[in-house]
Amino acid sequence: MLERLRTERREGSVSLSMVALVVSLAAALVLGLTSWVPKVLARDIGITDVEPGLLQVSQNAFGVQSLGAGLTVTLYDRGFRLSRGSTVLADTVTKGAPVTAVVGTVDTSGEHPREQVTSSLTAVTIDAVTRDDEAVTYSGVVHDATHSLPLRITFEPTDGRIRMDVAVPGASGVAVNLDWRPATTGIEPALPARNLKARAYWMEAAVVEQPAFTWVLGTDVSIAPVGVPRAVDLRQDGRIAIHVWSPRAVVTVTDTPRPAVEDSQP
C-alpha cells in the first residue's frame, strides 16, 4: 500500500511537471508570435528589396556644381549631396549606387500592387558630367556583372526646388536610393501622416505631383511621374528606397527647410 502511494506521488509530480512545461512552451510560442507576426505582415506588402551595389565615379565627374540661387549638387565618391549654401537638403545612400534598375512587372489586381522582379541592375558607374544653363546632367550606366543599361541623372532648379530626374531607358522600374534620416514622416494624402520607419508603403494615386514625405532635415520630397505605381521602402537600415515603375523617376526636394519634425510616432 505504501509503495503504491509513493508511485502515485511520483506520477503526480511528473504530470505536474509536464503540464508546467507545456504551459511554458505555449507562453513562449505566443510571445514569439506576437513579436514575429507583425514584422512579417509589415514586410509582406509586395515591395521587393533590391539592395544597391557599388558606385564608381570617373575623376572628371567629381565636385560641386552650381544650380543657381545658392543651390548646389555635389558628387563625392560616397554619392550625391543636394544643398543650399551650407544646409544639406538630401543625400543619396552612402557609398552605394544612388539608382538601381529592375526588369519585371507590377500586379495591380489585389488589395495593393505587388512587384514581380525578374532581374535587377544594382551597380552604377558615372562617366561624365555636362551643363545646360542651370541644369547639370551626369551620365553613365547601371549594371550587373554581365548586363548594363544607359543612365542619365539630371539636377535642375524649378520653382524653388531641386529636381532629380533619373532616366534608365530599357528598365521596367527605377529605385532612387536616398540616405536614411530620422523622423521620416509621411505627408497625406500621398502617404500616411506618421513616422514611416522600418516599413514600406505604396503611395496613393495622385492627380498631380505632391510632397510624399518630410524628415529631420525639414525638406519635403515629392515623387513622380504620377499615374504609375510608386512606393517608399524604409525597411533596411541606412537607406530610403523610392520605387517608381517607369524607366524614369523624378524626385524633387524643396530648397527651404521646414521647422524640425518631431519623431513622435512609433
Side-chain angles (χ1 to χ4, degrees), residues 80 98-99 126 136-139 151-155 164-167:
F80 289 100
V99 176
I126 302 294
V136 177
T137 298
Y138 296 84
S139 56
L151 170 66
R152 186 204 71 224
I153 308 175
T154 298
F155 295 90
M164 178 182 182
D165 190 332
V166 178

Side-chain angles (χ1 to χ4, degrees), residues 101-232:
V102 297
V103 175
T105 58
V106 179
D107 181 1
T108 58
S109 62
E111 180 181 356
H112 53 69
R114 298 194 71 87
E115 297 179 345
Q116 298 173 342
V117 175
T118 56
S119 64
S120 59
L121 304 174
T122 61
V124 164
T125 298
I126 302 294
D127 298 318
V129 56
T130 57
R131 295 191 62 91
D132 181 10
D133 294 329
E134 292 182 336
V136 177
T137 298
Y138 296 84
S139 56
V141 294
V142 57
H143 60 95
D144 61 12
T146 57
H147 299 89
S148 67
L149 289 172
L151 170 66
R152 186 204 71 224
I153 308 175
T154 298
F155 295 90
E156 60 180 331
T158 174
D159 299 328
R161 302 172 293 172
I162 298 179
R163 184 183 296 267
M164 178 182 182
D165 190 332
V166 178
V168 185
S172 304
V174 174
V176 177
N177 301 305
L178 299 182
D179 202 35
W180 178 86
R181 298 287 181 164
T184 301
T185 304
I187 299 175
E188 291 181 331
L191 290 171
R194 52 155 295 171
N195 193 303
L196 304 177
K197 63 184 178 182
R199 294 188 63 182
Y201 300 82
W202 287 102
M203 287 180 58
E204 292 295 331
V207 177
V208 296
E209 183 179 345
Q210 60 192 46
F213 64 86
T214 186
W215 46 17
V216 73
L217 296 174
T219 51
D220 294 344
V221 178
S222 301
I223 304 166
V226 297
V228 300
R230 292 162 292 161
V232 177

